[in-house]
Amino acid sequence: MAGIKDVAQRAGVSAATVSRALSGNGKVSPATRARVQQAAEELGYVVSFNASSLASGRSRNIGVVVPTVSRWFFSTVLEGIAGELISAGYDLTLYDTGGQEQHRVSVFSDLLLRKRLDAVITVTLKLSDNEVRQLASVDKPVVAIGGFIPEIATIRVDDFNTTALLTEHLIELGHTRIAFLGGSEEFDVDFKLTTARQDGFEYALDQANLEVRPEWLLAANFTTEGAYRKIRSLLSMPRERPTAVVCASDEMAFGALLAARDFGIDVPGDFSVVGMDGHDLSELFGLTTFSQDARSQGIWAVRKILELLGERELERDPTDGFYPTEFIARSTTAPPPRP
Amino acid sequence: MAGIKDVAQRAGVSAATVSRALSGNGKVSPATRARVQQAAEELGYVVSFNASSLASGRSRNIGVVVPTVSRWFFSTVLEGIAGELISAGYDLTLYDTGGQEQHRVSVFSDLLLRKRLDAVITVTLKLSDNEVRQLASVDKPVVAIGGFIPEIATIRVDDFNTTALLTEHLIELGHTRIAFLGGSEEFDVDFKLTTARQDGFEYALDQANLEVRPEWLLAANFTTEGAYRKIRSLLSMPRERPTAVVCASDEMAFGALLAARDFGIDVPGDFSVVGMDGHDLSELFGLTTFSQDARSQGIWAVRKILELLGERELERDPTDGFYPTEFIARSTTAPPPRP
DNA sequence: CTGAAAGCGCTTACAG
DNA sequence: CTGAAAGCGCTTACAG
């Protein structure tokens, strides 16, 4: 495999000049540059990343930490990140913690510190104070998507207010018996968004002088299956049923819709459902929801990182305030049935 | 940040000994090893991957090339790969081509050759002869999941026969008017599985002396939305309708089910649907399908790679023959309606 | 079992 | 604008 010396020899210049011509750092005459490029092409020369990184201290490699890639939000954010990174000529090192504490520890103590990464993007990862300190001490740019992390630039939507608005939408339709389906305890390690959404829900009820009924505060694991099971058992209870449910994600809302269908309960006639995300399938399900553009959150995270690395200017700072969201009323919400 | 020399000094040994003690290569006395480990820990020393890779020629970094991470099969395979790689102490470099030819080119000409990777796993990626040659010339282990690639170890399910069996299941129930929903041309670049599945479908019809009707050979882009649209227009046609559809993926089958529901067509009473995959949601939808364990395909791809890298022995070779699949009959299939 | 030394393949002041 | 040389932080024959 051709090395920089081979190219230098073929082009009749020094290795230093080859490096400068190919990287764009430093001045090289156009004629020389052309000769070098030609020689490199002929030899099929590709720079050794390891050698280049070692010598320069920069890796052109960004770490991305996600709790899982099998949920809509994460895979969509990841696609946005991946596309933007490829365009910028950066590598993407993926850390899927699988929600396992053990894997998170190794990610932080080892991988992130191995100097192979120029920067890190974390997605809805809740960090301990200690981890924040570790990240800070490494002195590499970090951008977080989803969960707020002190001292770190964060892209996030307004979980509290969007959920409150969704809840108010139901209240305005006349609902007074409203359930909430959030994430489970177990997942709160990584997905800290649950509490903000639940807070927004409770706030809206409170504003309307409606009581929060503990037995209607449900938790699943952000999956459609989990939600299906929870809503199924909610609907099968003999006692008084809620007439609507606020789900903390669209994927859980799908589970709620399927459960209602299997129970022969008419949506929205007998039961209203709202979600949160703007999942690709929300339109097919006719789901009323708040949409957030996950893909572009990923893209903007990369842009912010590149800015922090001094690669480019930012037209606007995505970590400034809340990321835009949009309320979309569709056909899973209606006034509650007459008693 | 502490380097190897700092550790050497603190432990009172040479850098060479530190390297041997920490990496496990070469003999080191237990006492020395303990001292080195202690010193490393106290200093918070972490080896520089770049330097280590450059010196040793090995990166502990595996490249994974996927067409997208936003479809069930890919994200599930990726999770399997990611977990197994973390356990083995390897990094995962993700290349999401986004189905774009442009990105694939840069992946192959640049990224894979930059010597930063020890091996590559490709997922349902159709490679040109030229690309196969490129990969071979780099002389790094490659394992493919999904699509068959000449000269490369491949983990794959029997697309032809599973689809044929699914089709025969419908035929045995009495169906004679059966449609097929495969992938679109556009996607065949990356997803070469479409043709094998369609071939299996046509073979089964042929065996039963049933005619393949071109107007019932449909193609979507492997998404639920795409399938919804296709099936919707199929069902809205005034002329003779099929009584069943074979979908080349579960996600497309979901679209078919939702379309039927929105048309007030009873499944399975008036219309039968079969999928292919064993998607997490297939049980909720009651979908009859062939399940394949995508996660463990990812895990086994990693194990095969590690074997090729000389890291471990394999109990069984996943690239040997077809990966196991399982037929699961559920409630979306039944005899066709009486005419 | 351990150390001194060469070398991995680049990048980047420094000097011209 | 270009080259000679040092250096990035490790690993690994080689010698003992």
Side-chain angles (χ1 to χ4, degrees), chain A residues 219-299:
Chain A
N221 51 2
F222 278 103
T223 65
T224 301
E225 304 92 306
Y228 178 88
R229 248 173 267 121
K230 287 289 178 181
I231 297 299
R232 205 184 156 89
S233 69
L234 174 74
L235 295 179
S236 67
M237 287 194 305
R239 43 185 169 159
E240 196 183 30
R241 272 190 205 154
T243 58
V245 61
V246 174
C247 301
S249 81
D250 280 358
E251 280 161 307
M252 291 199 289
F254 301 154
L257 293 173
L258 291 172
R261 183 199 63 179
D262 285 1
F263 253 74
I265 291 177
D266 181 51
V267 174
D270 296 326
F271 192 61
S272 286
V273 176
V274 301
M276 170 78 213
D277 272 348
H279 187 291
D280 298 334
L281 291 183
S282 62
E283 192 181 343
L284 271 197
F285 277 97
L287 183 66
T288 295
T289 190
F290 240 104
S291 85
Q292 59 173 326
D293 189 340
R295 174 181 298 272
S296 67
Q297 286 177 55
I299 292 173

Side-chain angles (χ1 to χ4, degrees), chain A residues 135-190:
Chain A
L135 273 181
S137 77
V138 186
D139 196 31
K140 302 221 163 133
V142 179
V143 168
I145 300 179
F148 174 72
I149 302 178
E151 325 238 353
I152 287 180
T154 305
I155 297 176
R156 61 201 173 118
V157 300
D158 186 349
D159 288 308
F160 181 91
N161 279 306
T162 49
T163 315
L165 286 168
L166 246 11
T167 308
E168 282 164 18
H169 170 63
L170 293 170
I171 293 171
E172 278 165 18
L173 286 170
H175 292 271
T176 56
R177 309 203 308 270
I178 309 175
F180 178 79
L181 182 56
S184 63
E185 289 289 316
E186 162 200 5
F187 267 68
D188 216 17
V189 184
D190 288 332

Side-chain angles (χ1 to χ4, degrees), chain A residues 4 16 19-20 45 51 55 58:
Chain A
I4 198 171
S19 173
R20 284 187 283 249
Y45 169 74
R58 283 170 287 102

